[in-house]
Amino acid sequence: MSAAITITGLGKRYRYGGAGASGNLREDLTAWARGLFRRNGRLHPTLHQVHEQRLDKSPECFWALKDVNLRAKPGEMLGIIGPNGAGKSTLLKILSRITAPTAGSLRYQGRLTSLLEVGTGFHRELTGRENIFLNGSILGMSRAEIARKLDAIVAFAEIEKFLDTPVKFYSSGMYVRLAFAVSAHLEPDILLIDEVLAVGDLRFQRKCMERARKLRDGNATVIFVSHNMFVIKAMCDRVVYLRGGRVIHDGDGATAIDLYEKDSRLEIATWATGIVGTDRDKCPLTVTDIQLFDEAGQPRTMFEFGERMRVRLAYEAKEPVSAPNFCIGIIRSDNTPCCFFSATLDGLKIASVHGRGVLELLTPPLKLVAETYTINTALWNADFQRLYSAQTGCNFHVRHDLLDTNFGVFHEPAEWKML
Amino acid sequence: MSAATTIISADQHERLRQFLKDLWDYRELFWTFVERDIKVRYKQTALGVIWVILQPLLMSGAFALIFGKIARMPTDGLPILLFYFAATVPWNTFAAAVSQSAQSMEANAGLITKIYFPRVVIPGAIVFGSFLDFAIGWTLLNGLALWLGHWHWQVLALTPLLLLIQSCAALGIGLALGTLNAQYRDVKHAVPFLMQVLMLATPVIYPASRLPEIVQRLLFLNPMAGVVTAYRSLLETGAMDSALVLNSLAISIVMLLAGLWFFRSREAKLADIL
């Protein structure tokens, strides 16, 4: 079967602090003059090459993507995962043609749209009907096609009565429904979904997933970028793992997710890099391993709602650290901080640590709803004045037949009685 | 469009081929943008289309009063009001198209950073949309000329050519300014000033014929100078200096090509710098 998307040797070079423009007019004018040489690249190949080599070596430049080769077939759902800055968004931007590649090429068959574009180009002053046509055209539908689907779109969005009202008078719910209805009636051959940018609520995200599945069943290619390994595992036939702008793994989901989790494990958390730097070997006190067990001491990552969890932290103090305060936070997969445990707050006073050691924490019964969670560590001094290190730990899942994120963050039984 | 192959490449020739194909594929989006711009422009205003009539009328009236009556500027034999009206109608639509195009990349940043379409569609639709304002002003101009007994059928015949010159120049300048403004936001603050200077470099408030020969030559490097002078002479005699108009046409086409070239060289980076 022929490929729907073929990506060959794709690369994208950015400059730190705004691509292309330095913001400095004088510097830009020089670059522009060089650009003239570049345009004549065929006549002055050496000058062109010199310029390229100079840019490659320049500390101002970096490759967000490099030598990416990928193929995707019709009817395939391809997941793309990787740590922050791996080039996932850049790849999607190049695929959706928002930005141009620096090297290589890509070709695809048919119409390509991305779900992140919901509501793009809506104009507040225009009516619902006018916006359907505007939005549809921007998404690449022909006017005839929009006219044909108008009734279906209006019915889907449930805005019949307000079709000729300017959308500035719409409630936010109506607005989102209308925006989604338009993109739901596109019939792309290739669909791009960037979860990070799909800022809808969970119900809305679920709707997007359903639609993606339906399109895939209709032989469309779906490319799906996500941080949610649960969803990736459930949805994707094939997973690509990107790191540092390169394809590290292209194949089965389990291997890709393993690689991802291994790589991101115990990295310095993004929020803390400004305080402790990015290199965990330079921190005076760090967590070197983190393991999860059930109450009986069996290794586990899947927990039933209400079970207790043992978190074992192996640490290393490169210098004597007095009164350390070991803390862990539990973060839901949509980045909602759910709870926090601090050794000091919970009454464990440690005089000082030096060298290696292991510490265990037994959580109270987990009352968190069914979802994937990440355990992050933070090692402070006793009064939270000094941070030694903060790292992303490991993931665990909570299972419950009914209660998921639709029902809140946690669940605790209440007392009911008839009066 | 649905079964076609799209090729995105770092190679320049591949890009040009794809660009031309895209222009054709997105032709409907062009009309949608024209419609959007026009609708939005009149929806927010209480007087709506009346502004289009009022603006050049008031401006010509003020010019006629200050420069015609008080400063007694010669008007090449045209009635004073007609002399100024013949200039403000094309000038106003030109100036509006240029300043809107200059801000169009920034104004549509939300679209440009999220979805692909040939960006040139935006300023293109702005310039085309300005034809509506022009048509209204132009109808008024013809009415005024008929009423004052200074109308010639040649005005009808040659307007499309003059409008073409005006549009090419507006799009060329608008594309260049719009691209620059995406990168250096200083540009949008400079545009009103630039338009004032350009207006002085166009014989809007004075007749070109009163300038010394050498200055006239410089003046007609500005295609709008040729356009304004042509309207006036068509209303006066029914004839125009064809050499002058062809010269303006050539310059405006060069402006358009230069603007397009500059725009194209930056288009791919727009989403990264906006």
Side-chain angles (χ1 to χ4, degrees):
Chain A
M1 187 178 279
S2 72
I5 306 176
T6 314
I7 299 173
T8 325
L10 202 67
K12 172 80 180 175
R13 184 179 51 211
Y14 276 116
R15 264 172 86 156
Y16 289 109
S22 66
N24 178 331
L25 199 61
R26 189 176 58 87
E27 217 174 278
D28 285 354
L29 282 174
T30 339
W32 177 72
R34 281 205 201 94
L36 287 176
F37 286 118
R38 198 197 311 191
R39 198 148 293 280
N40 298 335
R42 249 153 283 278
L43 294 172
H44 306 282
T46 45
L47 256 178
H48 174 66
Q49 280 163 8
V50 165
H51 177 62
E52 285 291 310
Q53 280 168 4
R54 198 189 62 85
L55 272 180
D56 262 349
K57 284 185 194 139
S58 160
E60 283 169 34
C61 294
F62 68 98
W63 288 88
L65 278 181
K66 183 104 192 177
D67 297 328
V68 173
N69 296 292
L70 282 176
R71 290 164 77 87
K73 293 190 293 273
E76 191 169 36
M77 196 170 299
L78 183 68
I80 297 179
I81 59 173
N84 290 328
K88 305 179 301 267
S89 300
T90 306
L91 181 59
L92 280 199
K93 269 191 179 169
I94 293 175
L95 270 172
S96 52
R97 306 185 61 192
I98 292 163
T99 188
T102 316
S105 69
L106 96 90
R107 58 173 67 217
Y108 59 79
Q109 299 283 335
R111 182 152 81 185
L112 179 147
T113 52
S114 47
L115 258 193
L116 59 94
E117 289 147 11
V118 166
T120 302
F122 264 46
H123 201 292
R124 287 166 40 80
E125 298 289 336
L126 298 179
T127 67
R129 184 196 305 273
E130 286 162 347
N131 267 308
I132 292 175
F133 277 90
L134 176 61
N135 192 236
S137 303
I138 291 171
L139 290 170
M141 280 198 256
S142 72
R143 290 176 157 234
E145 192 182 350
I146 303 166
R148 205 168 55 236
K149 290 176 178 167
L150 185 68
D151 289 341
I153 292 173
V154 173
F156 189 98
E158 304 158 25
I159 54 145
E160 288 90 342
K161 277 190 208 152
F162 305 97
L163 187 55
D164 293 304
T165 307
V167 296
K168 66 177 170 186
F169 298 122
Y170 279 28
S171 71
S172 58
M174 284 160 69
Y175 189 90
V176 171
R177 280 206 306 275
L178 178 63
F180 185 72
V182 177
S183 59
H185 286 79
L186 278 168
E187 281 151 21
D189 302 295
I190 300 163
L191 179 72
L192 309 179
I193 307 175
D194 191 344
E195 186 202 45
V196 185
L197 295 166
V199 282
D201 55 6
L202 277 164
R203 207 189 109 212
F204 178 72
Q205 286 182 10
R206 211 154 289 165
K207 250 180 157 176
C208 297
M209 299 296 131
E210 269 167 40
R211 199 171 100 64
R213 218 172 261 145
K214 224 182 242 171
L215 278 168
R216 194 250 324 252
D217 295 343
N219 217 26
T221 308
V222 179
I223 296 193
F224 187 63
V225 169
S226 182
H227 280 290
N228 189 328
M229 295 305 132
F230 243 19
V231 179
I232 288 277
K233 220 177 268 179
M235 304 268 298
C236 300
D237 316 307
R238 203 179 112 205
V239 179
V240 169
Y241 175 55
L242 280 179
R243 194 182 61 209
R246 289 168 190 272
V247 176
I248 304 292
H249 170 86
D250 179 358
D252 69 298
T255 314
I257 291 169
D258 272 358
L259 278 168
Y260 173 73
E261 285 182 348
K262 211 174 280 167
D263 276 350
S264 53
R265 205 175 158 125
L266 298 177
E267 284 290 298
I268 297 290
T270 326
W271 67 268
T273 51
I275 311 167
V276 299
T278 50
D279 187 0
R280 65 175 198 241
D281 292 332
K282 288 194 179 125
C283 298
L285 176 63
T286 53
V287 172
T288 52
D289 192 21
I290 180 165
Q291 284 175 308
L292 303 182
F293 303 91
D294 61 13
E295 214 178 336
Q298 293 301 310
R300 275 231 249 150
T301 55
M302 175 71 81
F303 292 85
E304 294 298 328
F305 174 87
E307 271 190 300
R308 300 183 77 178
M309 177 168 70
R310 287 179 191 278
V311 183
R312 205 165 287 169
L313 300 175
Y315 64 83
E316 184 185 5
K318 294 188 185 66
E319 53 190 72
V321 174
S322 61
N325 179 11
F326 289 82
C327 302
I328 68 161
I330 297 181
I331 317 288
R332 206 165 68 186
S333 64
D334 59 354
N335 274 328
T336 307
C338 293
C339 58
F340 176 80
F341 301 103
S342 149
T344 313
L345 284 183
D346 293 336
L348 175 70
K349 300 265 188 285
I350 306 167
S352 101
V353 286
H354 191 198
R356 292 173 175 273
V358 181
L359 186 91
E360 190 184 89
L361 142 93
L362 177 63
T363 69
L366 289 171
K367 301 292 181 67
L368 296 169
V369 297
E371 210 4 76
T372 303
Y373 298 87
T374 306
I375 296 186
N376 289 341
T377 66
L379 309 186
W380 295 89
N381 69 348
D383 56 359
F384 293 97
Q385 291 302 305
R386 181 169 175 208
L387 181 70
Y388 297 112
S389 66
Q391 291 157 280
T392 2
C394 55
N395 290 347
F396 69 92
H397 313 288
V398 174
R399 198 158 50 195
H400 191 285
D401 290 337
L402 173 67
L403 300 171
D404 60 12
T405 50
N406 282 323
F407 294 85
V409 178
F410 72 99
H411 172 74
E412 193 79 59
E415 282 176 39
W416 297 74
K417 68 177 171 202
M418 283 287 225
L419 294 176
Chain B
M1 147 173 193
S2 109
T5 307
T6 304
I7 302 169
I8 304 163
S9 166
D11 181 71
Q12 294 290 337
H13 287 275
E14 205 58 84
R15 280 190 192 172
L16 182 64
R17 196 197 64 84
Q18 187 65 44
F19 174 68
L20 295 174
K21 179 179 168 295
D22 287 339
L23 273 188
W24 178 249
D25 284 347
Y26 282 87
R27 62 193 182 281
E28 287 203 335
L29 186 61
F30 174 79
W31 295 112
T32 309
F33 277 144
V34 171
E35 203 184 312
R36 175 193 71 170
D37 291 344
I38 290 174
K39 274 184 180 156
V40 169
R41 190 151 18 121
Y42 297 124
K43 264 191 180 173
Q44 286 153 303
T45 54
L47 290 181
V49 184
I50 298 173
W51 277 116
V52 185
I53 301 168
L54 229 50
Q55 206 193 7
L57 261 182
L58 290 176
M59 198 166 152
S60 319
F63 286 161
L65 191 70
I66 297 163
F67 298 106
K69 290 283 182 210
I70 300 171
R72 301 208 173 273
M73 188 81 78
T75 58
D76 286 349
L78 278 175
I80 300 172
L81 190 62
L82 191 60
F83 175 82
Y84 288 110
F85 205 64
T88 44
V89 167
W91 173 260
N92 276 1
T93 43
F94 170 82
V98 170
S99 25
Q100 280 170 34
S101 306
Q103 294 204 30
S104 62
M105 293 299 122
E106 189 190 349
N108 288 281
L111 274 181
I112 291 170
T113 53
K114 280 204 190 113
I115 189 163
Y116 175 79
F117 54 88
R119 316 306 190 193
V120 70
V121 167
I122 298 175
I126 287 171
V127 172
F128 193 85
S130 74
F131 287 5
L132 179 67
D133 286 7
F134 179 82
I136 296 168
W138 181 83
T139 311
L140 219 61
L141 176 67
N142 281 281
L144 191 68
L146 272 174
W147 184 50
L148 294 170
H150 270 276
W151 190 78
H152 297 274
W153 64 268
Q154 287 89 339
V155 177
L156 281 183
L158 290 162
T159 294
L161 177 65
L162 297 176
L163 190 57
L164 177 71
I165 297 173
Q166 178 185 334
S167 311
C168 288
L171 189 55
I173 300 172
L175 278 170
L177 291 178
T179 318
L180 276 176
N181 186 51
Q183 201 154 335
Y184 314 100
R185 294 289 148 86
D186 319 63
V187 173
K188 82 175 157 203
H189 301 294
V191 165
F193 174 69
L194 180 75
M195 294 321 291
Q196 271 174 357
V197 173
L198 260 180
M199 190 175 102
L200 292 178
T202 306
V204 176
I205 52 177
Y206 57 86
S209 58
R210 298 292 288 189
L211 295 173
E213 182 76 18
I214 182 86
V215 181
Q216 276 196 37
R217 267 205 207 141
L218 275 174
L219 185 76
F220 287 119
L221 286 177
N222 169 8
M224 282 310 286
V227 169
V228 166
T229 306
Y231 278 118
R232 282 181 181 153
S233 97
L234 281 173
L235 289 170
E236 168 66 21
T237 63
M240 60 178 194
D241 186 343
S242 355
L244 190 73
V245 171
L246 286 179
N247 171 58
S248 294
L249 179 65
I251 293 173
S252 71
I253 290 173
V254 170
M255 281 177 151
L256 176 62
L257 292 177
L260 264 177
W261 170 80
F262 184 66
F263 183 76
R264 282 284 299 150
S265 71
R266 303 295 177 99
E267 187 185 14
K269 281 189 178 159
L270 276 176
D272 298 334
I273 59 182
L274 269 170

